[in-house]
């Protein structure tokens, strides 16, 4: 496997060079993006400047026949948080890049002028082509144009208008199996960094390439079989997620009293049934969409789906739980069609749905629109796409919007919006939000497992005891899983079924011919977190940044009427291992 570096600021125009992994040998996904950022990006550089790098890295098992292995990591210094960032996505391009032999594509430097480029990667190498006709296209129109030019067997990695305008809420889109730009590395403004590099789209064509070959094909195949059986037999990965997608959580989290409603004012949304996963699945089926669908080939859990409008025409992929919450309950919007339209607009402009939903919630609290007003929310997102002055404020996220509108209750950590679980009702996730090097991020250490779902044990969600240890263990495990290219949802089965965790180890060992143990995996997770923490510390982050906003300590959240209980001094022990 090799690294391709594309220097967008080279004399005489962008230049490509390829090199072996070298010092990064044995790394993939998040381990690789975070290692490159820590080693090569000056922590104090401007995120939109020439010294920042955007790294797109498939995982260790991506491009193989292992189930669930098509995820991709996108890393850089974040324009939203000012710290290190890894944002993760599904879609097809990751598998294609890996089959072409790329462990990472690194965009470096800064173009000399405002020419916009497309990059074409195939078995014949990498071409960089100026193409100003792509300027300010939405992701959907852009992909259609690429299909006409390069055919239907490609994958696209792209930015919409938000990335071109270098907004801190901008995402990088990856096309799905239907060649639609629906899978996003959403968090932290990674799309703004791609925009700053002057790259609109990377078109990947793996025609003529084969699956990556394991060292021991028969044992690898046998481990994959055990791995898939393990996923099928666990109730979350075998039943809940396939039937209703992640939105199965709306009723569950609402019932637990931790569903952040009306910009984190209440822990229950009275109308949640109208936007639940159950209602969503019924609607999708009734309109000829799909309630069970994968975001890439080889996904056996299939938590995604396809959402049609009232007339039975494709509108968007199935909006997932965090999107439905952000653009729904958080804004008191209870209309699934409006939420689906907001999701479609975010995908087209290339925006993080969590950041945008939290931003609209803050804007509603700042009286820019009324809570529950779906048409107003749609108009606000359209402002972002048009790049009006108001749109540019909103597109830079909840923290900027809160400042501009004089709103005190702004749910962010390290400048990044908190997702769909209130830390006063699920205290363990609050520890992750506060301490993750990524800023407010549920996936970094998903304590909802033991706090609510009773997966991997049980820790009372309303008490501070045990939450730091829970979040620590999950953050370590997550960093490691994010490096394999595996979808994080396999973790439900890994946490409860030692034999499924063993099957994952066997996949890695039979592919690479190594002898990884569970301890090695833990060590890998710790090393990644250490790299990330060190980068953030050099970028100016201190213990004060590992805290939730004030109002979580002061305002009790109904129905449990609790504040966030975990003390600062305990949060500061999270990385002591
Ligand atoms: S489980 Fe869902 S998010 Fe994970 S790979 Fe499958 S469709 Fe994508």
């Amino acid at each position: 496997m090799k690294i391709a570096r594309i220097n967008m600021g080279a004399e005489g125009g962008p230049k490509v060079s390829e090199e072996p992994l070298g010092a990064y040998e044995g790394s993939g996904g998040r381990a690789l993006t975070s290692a490159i950022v820590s080693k090569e990006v000056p922590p104090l550089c401007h995120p939109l400047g020439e010294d920042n790098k955007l790294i797109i890295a498939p995982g260790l098992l991506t491009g193989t026949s292992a189930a669930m292995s098509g995820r991709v990591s996108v890393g850089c210094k974040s324009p939203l948080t000012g710290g290190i960032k890894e944002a993760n996505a599904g879609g097809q391009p990751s598998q294609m890049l890996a089959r072409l032999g790329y462990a990472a594509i690194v965009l470096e430097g800064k173009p000399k002028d405002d020419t916009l480029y497309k990059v074409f990667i195939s078995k014949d190498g990498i071409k960089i082509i100026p193409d100003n006709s792509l300027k300010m296209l939405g992701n959907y129109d852009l992909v259609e144009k690429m299909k006409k030019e390069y055919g239907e067997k490609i994958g696209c990695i792209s930015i919409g208008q938000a990335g071109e305008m270098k907004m801190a809420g901008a995402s990088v889109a990856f096309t799905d199996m239907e060649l639609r730009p629906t899978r996003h590395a959403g968090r932290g403004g990674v799309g703004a960094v791609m925009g700053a590099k002057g790259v609109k789209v990377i078109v990947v064509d793996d025609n003529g390439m084969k699956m990556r070959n394991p060292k021991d094909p028969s044992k690898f195949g046998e481990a994959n079989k055990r791995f898939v059986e393990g996923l099928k037999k666990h109730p979350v990965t075998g039943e809940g997620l396939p039937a209703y997608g992640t939105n199965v959580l709306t009723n569950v989290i609402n019932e637990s009293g931790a569903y952040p409603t009306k910009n984190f004012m209440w822990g229950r949304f009275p109308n949640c049934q109208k936007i639940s996963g159950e209602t969503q699945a019924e609607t999708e089926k009734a309109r000829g969409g799909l309630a069970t669908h994968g975001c890439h080939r080889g996904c056996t859990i299939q938590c995604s789906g396809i959402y049609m409008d009232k007339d039975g025409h494709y509108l968007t992929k199935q909006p997932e739980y965090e999107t439905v919450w952000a653009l729904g309950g958080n804004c008191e919007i209870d209309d699934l069609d409006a939420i689906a339209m907001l999701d479609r607009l975010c995908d087209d402009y290339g925006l993080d749905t969590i950041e945008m939903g939290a931003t609209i919630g803050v804007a509603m609290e700042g009286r820019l629109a009324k809570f529950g007003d779906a048409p107003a929310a749609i108009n606000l997102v359209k402002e972002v796409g048009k790049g009006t002055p108001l749109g540019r404020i909103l597109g830079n996220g909840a923290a900027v919007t809160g400042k501009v509108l004089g709103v005190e209750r702004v749910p962010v950590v390290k400048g990044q919006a908190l997702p769909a679980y209130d830390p006063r009702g699920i205290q363990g996730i609050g520890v992750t939000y506060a301490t993750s090097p990524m800023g407010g991020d549920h996936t970094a250490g998903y304590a909802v497992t033991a706090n609510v779902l009773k997966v991997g044990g049980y820790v009372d969600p309303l008490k501070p005891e045990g939450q730091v240890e829970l979040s620590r263990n999950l953050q370590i495990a997550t960093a490691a899983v994010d490096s394999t290219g595996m979808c994080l949802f396999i973790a439900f089965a890994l946490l409860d079924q030692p034999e499924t965790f063993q099957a994952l180890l066997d996949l890695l060992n039979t592919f690479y011919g190594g002898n990884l143990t569970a301890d090695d995996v833990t060590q890998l997770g710790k090393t990644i977190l250490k790299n990330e923490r060190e980068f953030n510390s050099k970028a100016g982050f201190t213990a004060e940044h590992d805290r939730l906003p004030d109002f979580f300590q002061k305002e009790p959240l109904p129905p449990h009427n609790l504040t966030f209980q975990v003390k600062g001094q305990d949060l500061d022990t999270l990385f002591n291992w």
Side-chain angles (χ1 to χ4, degrees), residues 531-552:
N531 278 342
E532 295 172 347
R533 290 268 298 172
E534 275 177 13
F535 182 92
N536 279 0
S537 158
K538 288 182 198 154
F541 285 78
T542 65
E544 283 165 41
H545 297 93
D546 287 345
R547 297 291 183 270
L548 296 182
D550 247 15
F551 74 91
F552 289 107

Side-chain angles (χ1 to χ4, degrees), residues 147-187:
K147 274 158 73 174
K148 286 201 182 94
E149 211 166 311
Y150 295 104
E152 306 262 335
K153 294 199 169 149
I154 52 169
C156 293
I157 304 167
S158 63
I159 54 170
Q161 294 93 332
E164 276 191 66
M165 290 187 274
K166 304 182 194 88
M167 292 172 174
S171 61
V172 173
F174 292 75
T175 44
D176 57 21
M177 291 195 287
E178 289 73 29
L179 205 35
R180 292 171 178 146
T182 62
R183 322 310 309 192
H184 289 240
R187 311 240 58 201

